[in-house]
Amino acid sequence: MASNFAARANQALMQSSPKWRLVVWLLLMLSASLWTLQLWQNGARVQSDILAMLPHLQQDKLTERALNQVEATLADQVYIALVAKDETTAIAAAKLLMQKLEADLVARGKQGALTDIRSADMQLGEALGQFYFPHRFKLLTAPQAEALASQNIESLIEAATAQLYNAFSYANSNLLAQDPLLLFPANLLALAPSSKVRASQGILLANQGDNVAAVVMAKGRESAFNPNAQLAQMTALTQGLDAVKQSYPDITVLKAGALFHALAATQTAKSEISILGLASLLGVIALVWLAFRSVMPLLLAIVTISSGLLLAVTFTLSVFGELHLLTLVFGTSLIGIAIDYSFHFYCERLSDTERSAKATVAYIFPTVTLAFITSALAYVGIGLAPFPGMQQVAIFCAAGLLGAYLTLILAYPLLAGSRLPAGSRPLALAGTYLACLTQLSKRFTTPLGTGLFTLVIVVWCLGGVTRLTVDDDIRHLQQSPASVTEPENQLRQLLSGGTDNQFLLVHAPSEEALLLQLERVSPMLDTAITNQELGNYVSLSRYLPSHQKQDTAYHLQGEIYQTQIDTVLTSLGLDENLKPELQAAYLAAKTDYITPAAFFTLGAGKQLAPLWLAPNEANSPAGNGALNDGGVSAEHGADHGADYGADYGAIVLLGGIQQIDALKARFAHDESVQLIDKVADISAVMGHYRLLTLKLLALALGIALLLFSLNFGFKKAAVVVAVPALAALLTLATLGLTGSQLSLFHALALILVFGIGIDYSLFFASAQNHGKAVMMAVFMSACSTLLAFGLLAFSQTQAIHYFGLTLSLGIGFTFLLSPLILTTTLALTTNQLLTTKKS
């Protein structure tokens, strides 16, 4: 069936005019070019965010909103610490930097790269005091509540008396008239989390040994993973820091934030695109020239690659609307694969110089078509992974192969019509190599040779595969250079550990229930800090007491204003006329509560608003401020099946995590609290799809066996499929023997080993005239592919390194094994002839 279809298609091609084929090809390339230009003008862009390659996890609505809130608030934050020998210099340097950044923002207006430039908020305490003071009857610290619960009001009177005689006390006549026991100042101080940082002259300061660090924060107007935004933000920062260095040359600068990780990734990707792509292209050009000694094959090779890249970009932008930089890095390998069709064409022409270009295309059409289909299916297998970046790679490479295939079928019959210069040396070398392999294979046909060969392969495979270990940790796929991570780690230590990638999501069916849950969780986190499981946390429970807690405080303070007010006023020497006003104020506050809605109207409240998730809102309250002084974020997420879309939710940020497993165990059986850890969830998904990809590879081998059986018969098809299967197995074994850990990207590369290896096997299975032309073409194809993927193995991005290393090994083994198909095919044919003669 398959052979009949190929024959009819081939016949139709032979009847078509080479000129009309070329016209069709030119129209196709012109249309692709115009469509791609239109896509760029309509907003298509290059994406450099490594997180864009990560899988989309299945998660409930509340979790998804929490992730979006945290990421939107923290992802584009920039943190700069200016370390000086004394506080005065550090403060002056920080003020100068803020002045320069604000000047840039004013000069550029809406085009300013950095916004929300800040350090310490000196008005924060005053604003909080004004907000909470009317609610003072609903606030008590734990010692105050304990004293009132035990009716030990004398201790509170003593504490108030001590404050009256303290030179640094908040006490004044106005405060005493409204809060005679001076309870409110202690409650206001309790709102400030314990931290290593302090404020002076509006600048946030922290000690670093004998030095002082002044911290300046800002927020990128656009995503840090947008290359244009990166350039604008770094330009503004560089100008500001240059001014600081000129005025204070001894200043040391520490930087942290997603911007610097994204910039390092972008620079690495751009560098690798240039180096790897250029090296691969030069290698292909050298191969073509050395083999054919003609300009036309070289020009057509470039045309083939260019048309493949054009269609690859067109299809990718059409489907995704953007092109990932890592897709382009992977796409450099397309050069080494797309050119294979050109190699096979010219090697066949070299073997039969009398055959026309049109006849040569017709001759190789069935095999090239089958090879294209299997390779495209291999890329489709990669596209089944839940990684948008890998799906882009699949579309990019499959479309690129389509471009190369169409160029061969439509353009070569006319453009490649010129004759090649006489030269049989490459074919002779290929023939000599094949002859040596034939002699070698004859030695393996003896019982002893076959046994030894089988034993070596079995020992190799068993020894390697059994030593394989797995590593699905997403953090190992891209590691920023030490020049980025070391300053960030120092800055995190200055800022009490900052904010880690994990956070708690607390949910409840009502606002009051949520506040109660937060109050229940906070002591558990305090215990975790005591046990050194955690460094710090940021929770709304510190600022938003539940109604129940406020009512408790209110009733306890009744001991002061309803029972002991005379004693309090007398003991502190206050005017007894204050009694009616104090009691009236106390009674009036009974139904007046601190509420989230009111709190989030404050400046400090707006900064913390992203931690609050009201139900059925597209966007909960959000602010542009940092959620804490040390938030340095990378990625966040979770995978949970329940739908909490109708619940209230609150995010509790975690910092300085030392024992993540202990924290998970602490909340493992608490249905109202989820520890969101996207890194772990994505790693688990990667492990799942690694296994699925290997199963897909086995399925693809089975399908290929059935498909090829229709064309070659079962025995010959089994030999064709056995070569890439054995190459994949040997690759896994080698990875195990070298101590390389298996990841999803190794498994995805094995899919391509199958797709490319099948091409080699098919051409040898279809070879005639002892396969010299095929051997030469496969040699050139293997060289170009090894060059492309071998270079990828030197990438600094681990995902690309794993991909390139595995493909290099796989293609190398396939090249060594595939010529044996020719000798095996000849043996099968000879046996059939002998059987026919005997019968």
Side-chain angles (χ1 to χ4, degrees):
M1 184 181 298
S3 58
N4 291 336
F5 173 78
R8 287 195 297 270
N10 200 2
Q11 185 178 4
L13 281 173
M14 286 295 293
Q15 294 174 353
S16 62
S17 167
K19 291 183 179 180
W20 280 110
R21 287 201 220 176
L22 183 62
V23 169
V24 171
W25 179 80
L26 288 173
L27 288 175
L28 178 63
M29 293 300 119
L30 179 61
S31 300
S33 300
L34 293 175
W35 178 244
T36 303
L37 182 61
Q38 179 71 18
L39 290 172
W40 281 118
Q41 291 177 342
N42 289 340
R45 63 194 181 105
V46 174
Q47 172 66 267
S48 66
D49 183 2
I50 183 64
L51 305 183
M53 293 191 73
L54 303 183
H56 298 303
L57 300 175
Q58 297 297 319
Q59 54 203 13
D60 61 81
K61 294 178 182 178
L62 188 63
T63 302
E64 184 177 358
R65 289 178 54 207
L67 295 171
N68 293 337
Q69 289 288 82
V70 173
E71 188 168 332
T73 307
L74 294 181
D76 300 322
Q77 294 290 332
V78 175
Y79 303 85
I80 305 294
L82 303 173
V83 184
K85 293 181 179 179
D86 60 86
E87 184 173 306
T88 303
T89 304
I91 292 174
K95 287 183 175 179
L96 177 59
L97 176 60
M98 294 175 68
Q99 178 186 345
K100 293 295 181 181
L101 293 179
E102 288 168 353
D104 178 80
L105 180 60
V106 171
R108 296 177 181 269
K110 293 183 179 180
Q111 303 301 319
L114 295 170
T115 64
D116 193 23
I117 301 155
R118 65 201 185 280
S119 187
D121 188 352
M122 299 304 291
Q123 286 76 43
L124 178 61
E126 182 179 348
L128 289 176
Q130 292 176 353
F131 174 76
Y132 284 106
F133 189 74
H135 304 285
R136 61 191 178 279
F137 301 108
K138 298 290 183 70
L139 297 173
L140 285 175
T141 64
Q144 290 170 352
E146 183 179 353
L148 289 174
S150 61
Q151 297 183 347
N152 184 16
I153 200 167
E154 290 79 11
S155 64
L156 297 179
I157 294 174
E158 291 176 4
T161 303
Q163 287 192 57
L164 287 173
Y165 294 101
N166 187 339
F168 300 99
S169 171
Y170 291 96
N172 57 55
S173 58
N174 185 45
L175 180 59
L176 282 168
Q178 300 178 77
D179 180 22
L181 288 178
L182 299 176
L183 301 180
F184 180 71
N187 283 279
L188 189 61
L189 288 174
L191 295 175
S194 59
S195 175
K196 300 177 183 178
V197 298
R198 63 186 189 280
S200 177
Q201 300 181 43
I203 300 299
L204 196 67
L205 299 173
N207 292 330
Q208 188 188 49
D210 296 331
N211 298 325
V212 178
V215 181
V216 175
M217 294 166 280
K219 185 176 179 66
R221 188 182 295 276
E222 296 182 66
S223 171
F225 298 105
N226 181 320
N228 293 329
Q230 288 175 17
L231 179 61
Q233 292 175 28
M234 281 305 301
T235 299
L237 279 174
T238 301
Q239 291 175 352
L241 291 173
D242 285 346
V244 171
K245 279 288 188 180
Q246 289 177 3
S247 300
Y248 307 98
D250 293 332
I251 286 284
T252 301
V253 179
L254 302 178
K255 296 178 286 188
L259 170 65
F260 308 106
H261 293 275
L263 186 65
T266 301
Q267 291 174 343
T268 299
K270 286 181 177 180
S271 174
E272 290 179 356
I273 289 171
S274 303
I275 296 173
L276 302 184
L278 180 62
S280 182
L281 183 61
L282 291 177
V284 168
I285 291 173
L287 276 172
V288 173
W289 177 258
L290 291 174
F292 306 117
R293 304 286 181 172
S294 174
V295 175
M296 185 53 69
L298 194 56
L299 293 177
L300 277 183
I302 295 174
V303 168
T304 303
I305 294 170
S306 301
S307 60
L309 291 175
L310 173 60
L311 282 193
V313 172
T314 301
F315 273 72
T316 305
L317 291 180
S318 298
V319 174
F320 297 97
E322 64 181 18
L323 188 62
H324 202 289
L325 276 175
L326 291 182
T327 300
L328 291 176
V329 176
F330 277 106
T332 59
S333 62
L334 181 63
I335 296 172
I337 303 173
I339 200 64
D340 288 1
Y341 302 144
S342 182
F343 288 159
H344 283 290
F345 171 84
Y346 274 107
C347 287
E348 288 296 339
R349 288 216 68 190
L350 197 63
S351 67
D352 187 353
T353 56
E354 299 301 322
R355 186 187 290 154
S356 67
K358 181 179 178 181
T360 304
V361 169
Y363 175 75
I364 66 173
F365 174 78
T367 307
V368 168
T369 301
L370 196 56
F372 164 70
I373 292 172
T374 53
S375 296
L377 288 175
Y379 282 116
V380 170
I382 286 181
L384 294 177
F387 290 75
M390 296 311 298
Q391 290 166 357
Q392 274 200 27
V393 170
I395 294 293
F396 187 92
C397 292
L401 281 183
L402 176 62
Y405 173 77
L406 292 176
T407 302
L408 173 68
I409 302 302
L410 300 176
Y412 272 50
L414 187 62
L415 296 181
S418 59
R419 294 182 179 274
L420 290 174
S424 59
R425 180 170 175 77
L427 285 175
L429 290 174
T432 302
Y433 179 73
L434 272 177
C436 293
L437 280 181
T438 302
Q439 292 297 323
L440 183 63
S441 63
K442 288 180 179 179
R443 297 182 181 181
F444 292 136
T445 57
T446 63
L448 178 61
T450 302
L452 287 174
F453 180 76
T454 304
L455 180 63
V456 170
I457 295 297
V458 169
V459 171
W460 188 347
C461 292
L462 285 178
V465 172
T466 54
R467 293 182 61 182
L468 265 180
T469 57
V470 298
D471 180 14
D472 299 312
D473 194 333
I474 189 67
R475 288 168 294 193
H476 296 164
L477 296 183
Q478 183 177 21
Q479 297 175 341
S480 297
S483 59
V484 174
T485 58
E486 289 180 1
E488 179 170 285
N489 289 335
Q490 292 181 47
L491 184 49
R492 287 172 66 90
Q493 292 301 315
L494 287 176
L495 300 176
S496 304
T499 301
D500 287 333
N501 299 329
Q502 300 83 7
F503 61 91
L504 292 181
L505 176 60
V506 184
H507 59 87
S510 67
E511 185 176 279
E512 174 66 8
L514 179 59
L515 293 174
L516 287 170
Q517 291 287 8
L518 288 173
E519 290 171 356
R520 182 180 60 83
V521 167
S522 291
M524 300 172 69
L525 293 176
D526 291 334
T527 302
I529 292 175
T530 303
N531 295 341
Q532 297 185 341
E533 300 169 11
L534 182 68
N536 59 80
Y537 67 93
V538 179
S539 174
L540 287 171
S541 65
R542 187 185 299 274
Y543 305 93
L544 294 173
S546 65
H547 284 199
Q548 178 179 309
K549 186 174 183 179
Q550 292 181 61
D551 286 338
T552 301
Y554 182 81
H555 291 306
L556 286 174
Q557 290 199 49
E559 178 72 14
I560 302 172
Y561 297 103
Q562 292 183 324
T563 307
Q564 301 286 344
I565 186 62
D566 294 322
T567 303
V568 170
L569 294 176
T570 302
S571 299
L572 295 174
L574 299 176
D575 190 346
E576 292 183 359
N577 293 329
L578 294 174
K579 177 180 176 179
E581 295 181 10
L582 288 170
Q583 288 183 327
Y586 172 78
L587 292 174
K590 183 175 182 179
T591 57
D592 191 12
Y593 291 95
I594 300 167
T595 63
F599 176 72
F600 293 137
T601 61
L602 293 176
K606 289 179 181 178
Q607 292 183 18
L608 294 167
L611 300 184
W612 182 263
L613 302 169
N616 302 322
E617 292 182 4
N619 297 297
S620 57
N624 293 326
L627 297 182
N628 72 335
D629 290 332
V632 179
S633 174
E635 67 273 347
H636 310 273
D639 184 4
H640 300 282
D643 186 358
Y644 302 111
D647 280 4
Y648 282 81
I651 297 164
V652 180
L653 298 178
L654 306 176
I657 296 176
Q658 301 296 325
Q659 301 179 43
I660 185 66
D661 292 336
L663 277 178
K664 288 181 178 179
R666 196 174 287 278
F667 299 102
H669 304 292
D670 193 333
E671 295 183 357
S672 63
V673 182
Q674 302 167 22
L675 199 158
I676 309 299
D677 186 359
K678 188 175 182 179
V679 171
D681 292 335
I682 291 176
S683 299
V685 170
M686 288 187 65
H688 169 72
Y689 278 93
R690 171 178 48 77
L691 292 173
L692 185 61
T693 302
L694 292 176
K695 293 177 181 178
L696 178 65
L697 176 60
L699 178 62
L701 290 169
I703 293 174
L705 179 60
L706 293 176
L707 181 64
F708 298 156
S709 296
L710 299 176
N711 199 41
F712 299 120
F714 181 78
K715 289 185 178 180
K716 193 172 182 179
V719 175
V720 171
V721 173
V723 167
L726 184 57
L729 192 59
L730 288 171
T731 299
L732 287 174
T734 305
L735 290 173
L737 291 172
T738 56
S740 181
Q741 293 179 307
L742 187 65
S743 71
L744 173 61
F745 289 91
H746 291 97
L748 292 173
L750 288 177
I751 293 285
L752 278 191
V753 169
F754 159 74
I756 299 171
I758 282 291
D759 288 1
Y760 298 169
S761 300
L762 284 173
F763 278 104
F764 274 112
S766 306
Q768 298 179 11
N769 301 324
H770 304 291
K772 292 181 181 179
V774 174
M775 185 68 249
M776 179 181 170
V778 167
F779 171 76
M780 295 180 68
S781 299
C783 285
S784 62
T785 305
L786 282 172
L787 179 63
F789 290 119
L791 289 173
L792 288 184
F794 291 100
S795 171
Q796 296 179 33
T797 304
Q798 289 299 308
I800 300 176
H801 166 74
Y802 294 154
F803 200 84
L805 175 64
T806 306
L807 266 166
S808 298
L809 290 171
I811 296 304
F813 286 125
T814 304
F815 171 74
L816 294 175
L817 294 172
S818 57
L820 298 178
I821 292 177
L822 190 60
T823 58
T824 306
T825 300
L826 291 175
L828 289 174
T829 304
T830 303
N831 290 335
Q832 289 176 356
L833 291 174
L834 291 175
T835 303
T836 303
K837 287 182 179 181
K838 289 180 180 179
S839 61

